[in-house]
Amino acid sequence: MAEETGLFIYGIVPADVEPTADAIGVGEPPGEVTAVRHGELAALVSEVPLEGPLGRPADLTAYQELLDGTAAVAPVLPVRFGTVVTGADAVADLLEAHQDRFAAALDEFEGRIQYIVHGRYEEPALIGDVLAENPAAAELADQVRGQPAEATRPQRIRLGEMISQAVELRREAENRQLIEELGGLAVATAPRVPSNELDAGSAAFLVDRDREDEFVDAVEAYAEQRRELIRTRLLGPLAPYDFVSAHQLVE
Amino acid sequence: MTVATTGGDQAGGALERGGGSLADVVETVLDKGVVIDAQVSVAVVGIQLLEINARIVIASVETYLRFAEAVDRFDITPKNQKGLPDLVEGASGAVGKGKAMSGLGKAAKEISGAVVDSLGDRDTDRDRERPRRRRDKER
């Protein structure tokens, strides 16, 4: 047992939050999740060995599940994945030093939950669409279709570039529409960066618990309107990952 | 036109609820959350993190060639069919399999339903398009 350990911090919560016995922490074997309390605040933590890297899929999943599970019952301020401190004293110092900010942020998240709406273009429908509205691209498509890739490389690059640019414009427009249609039902919205060249609109929404059903209905309507062109997914309810940037401690 | 709204197009059918895949987890939590900087007078321990990079979209020749290849793969042929917009304006789920996208403006209205139909059936495997984990060095 000479192995050195640290405390992995998941998030900051009001002091009355109690981790349930079945909460699974990061690490292998998973650490037991406990709360380190200080005044009105607490941090959800678990012990991790300092040797050996973190970040296996199971670690990320455990981190997210713990935070999302907590967010379902209490406000929580996610702390960036991978934050490890020396021990309970350090956690208490941290809570002490930023008490007011953390408390204010938690107030803001009381009764609110995050959702992510993520659209992905259906490639055939999207490309068919682009070719239909861009005669030059359609012409290039005729030239490359069924031809060996090596023989038509310049045309292919040009065609792909046109499609790519068209997708970018559509994505921007789609992002605007997404915020326009759903933003009114949310307390706050945050744009999300695309992670795939077929990404359509994508944004995070901070939603009041008592408007949740209304919000989800609106997302369904949004998805329905676009069903042939965009595959829309709704992630959540989640901890407010996309809404904590204002509370970063980097000064 | 006969409106048969029960044809599997009920509200809610288009929206997928989910998350839980590694790609979703990575995109949801990575680089989010309160940053506790070393400047803060707290004993932050540097711990080794496995390298996980969410994929960042950079338009590249590779992307272009992939799009061009998709044109081949799906045999996408645009058929300009004017007159469709009228139908689309009143779109209910029954305007034909292709057409529940009245909110999309001109572009969407110009595509022919026939094209959408023929393509929609082929595109069964979207998983291939999941974000990949990619190391910057390889780019």
Side-chain angles (χ1 to χ4, degrees), chain A residues 1-242:
Chain A
M1 288 306 288
E3 203 178 24
E4 262 195 293
T5 61
L7 283 182
F8 182 102
I9 307 182
Y10 298 84
I12 292 154
V13 292
D16 58 357
V17 171
E18 188 74 53
T20 55
D22 58 350
I24 294 173
V26 298
E28 182 56 47
E32 187 196 347
V33 180
T34 57
V36 175
R37 296 189 171 78
H38 184 84
E40 306 284 291
L41 301 172
L44 298 175
V45 301
S46 70
E47 232 171 58
V48 289
L50 295 184
E51 283 100 66
L54 280 176
R56 299 168 307 131
D59 296 331
L60 288 166
T61 303
Y63 168 85
Q64 183 179 359
E65 281 178 0
L66 183 77
L67 288 171
D68 291 351
T70 306
V73 296
V76 57
L77 213 53
V79 169
R80 183 158 298 198
F81 181 88
T83 304
V84 176
V85 298
T86 48
D89 290 350
V91 177
D93 286 351
L94 168 73
L95 295 178
E96 168 72 28
H98 301 284
Q99 209 163 182
D100 296 347
R101 265 157 109 173
F102 289 156
L106 286 174
D107 272 353
E108 207 178 302
F109 293 134
E110 180 76 54
R112 292 168 175 172
I113 201 87
Q114 175 177 324
Y115 279 95
I116 292 174
V117 179
H118 182 254
R120 177 77 46 94
Y121 286 112
E122 294 288 4
E123 191 167 41
L126 171 75
I127 293 180
D129 227 2
V130 171
L131 296 186
E133 71 170 11
N134 185 338
E139 166 71 34
L140 280 168
D142 282 340
Q143 290 175 27
V144 308
R145 199 173 287 117
Q147 300 300 314
E150 316 79 61
T152 52
R153 190 177 158 91
Q155 291 94 324
R156 280 170 185 268
I157 291 174
R158 182 72 195 119
L159 171 61
E161 189 181 8
M162 284 169 140
I163 294 172
S164 178
Q165 285 166 352
V167 173
E168 249 172 75
L169 288 175
R170 278 153 193 267
R171 180 183 301 135
E172 281 170 29
E174 197 54 51
N175 270 322
R176 280 194 300 273
Q177 286 179 25
L178 177 63
I179 302 280
E180 233 173 72
E181 283 192 32
L182 300 172
L185 295 168
V187 182
T189 61
R192 290 179 57 85
V193 291
S195 60
N196 182 290
E197 58 256 23
L198 287 173
D199 273 1
S202 183
F205 298 86
L206 189 65
V207 179
D208 266 326
R209 277 267 178 216
D210 52 16
R211 297 192 80 180
E212 222 177 328
D213 291 346
E214 205 185 333
F215 176 79
V216 173
D217 286 350
V219 180
E220 279 174 359
Y222 171 91
E224 190 64 33
Q225 276 171 15
R226 291 156 175 77
R227 66 180 305 153
E228 298 301 332
L229 186 63
I230 296 174
R231 176 179 155 222
T232 305
R233 299 192 314 136
L234 179 63
L235 308 186
L238 305 166
Y241 304 102
D242 287 275

Side-chain angles (χ1 to χ4, degrees), chain A residues 49-50 53-57 60-61 63-64 77-86 90 94 98 115-116 120-125 127-129 131-133 138 141 144-146 153 156-157 159-161 163-164 167 170 174 177 192 194-198 216 219-220 223-229 231-236 238 241-242 244 247-251, chain B residues 8-19 22 24-37 39-50 52 55-57 59 61 63-78 80 97-104 107-108 110-111 115-116 119 123 126-133:
Chain A
L50 295 184
L54 280 176
R56 299 168 307 131
L60 288 166
T61 303
Y63 168 85
Q64 183 179 359
L77 213 53
V79 169
R80 183 158 298 198
F81 181 88
T83 304
V84 176
V85 298
T86 48
L94 168 73
H98 301 284
Y115 279 95
I116 292 174
R120 177 77 46 94
Y121 286 112
E122 294 288 4
E123 191 167 41
I127 293 180
D129 227 2
L131 296 186
E133 71 170 11
V144 308
R145 199 173 287 117
R153 190 177 158 91
R156 280 170 185 268
I157 291 174
L159 171 61
E161 189 181 8
I163 294 172
S164 178
V167 173
R170 278 153 193 267
E174 197 54 51
Q177 286 179 25
R192 290 179 57 85
S195 60
N196 182 290
E197 58 256 23
L198 287 173
V216 173
V219 180
E220 279 174 359
E224 190 64 33
Q225 276 171 15
R226 291 156 175 77
R227 66 180 305 153
E228 298 301 332
L229 186 63
R231 176 179 155 222
T232 305
R233 299 192 314 136
L234 179 63
L235 308 186
L238 305 166
Y241 304 102
D242 287 275
V244 294
H247 310 290
Q248 298 206 345
L249 300 182
V250 185
E251 316 260 59
Chain B
D9 274 354
Q10 287 105 329
L15 181 64
E16 295 173 35
R17 297 296 294 261
L22 181 59
D24 284 331
V25 175
V26 167
E27 282 187 34
T28 303
V29 306
L30 213 68
D31 296 334
K32 305 287 180 187
V34 176
V35 174
I36 293 162
D37 195 76
Q39 285 172 301
V40 178
S41 57
V42 164
V44 177
V45 179
I47 191 160
Q48 189 192 351
L49 289 180
L50 296 177
I52 319 153
R55 188 174 167 212
I56 296 161
V57 175
V61 167
T63 311
Y64 300 158
L65 289 172
R66 212 194 51 73
F67 272 130
E69 189 266 329
V71 171
D72 261 349
R73 179 161 28 102
F74 299 118
D75 192 19
I76 294 164
T77 317
N80 280 305
K97 197 175 157 209
K99 298 276 90 190
M101 39 177 158
S102 51
L104 280 170
E110 282 170 13
I111 188 170
V115 174
V116 172
L119 296 168
D123 185 33
R126 305 301 306 166
D127 286 348
R128 203 183 60 74
E129 304 300 342
R130 283 200 187 290
R132 282 160 274 167
R133 289 161 63 186

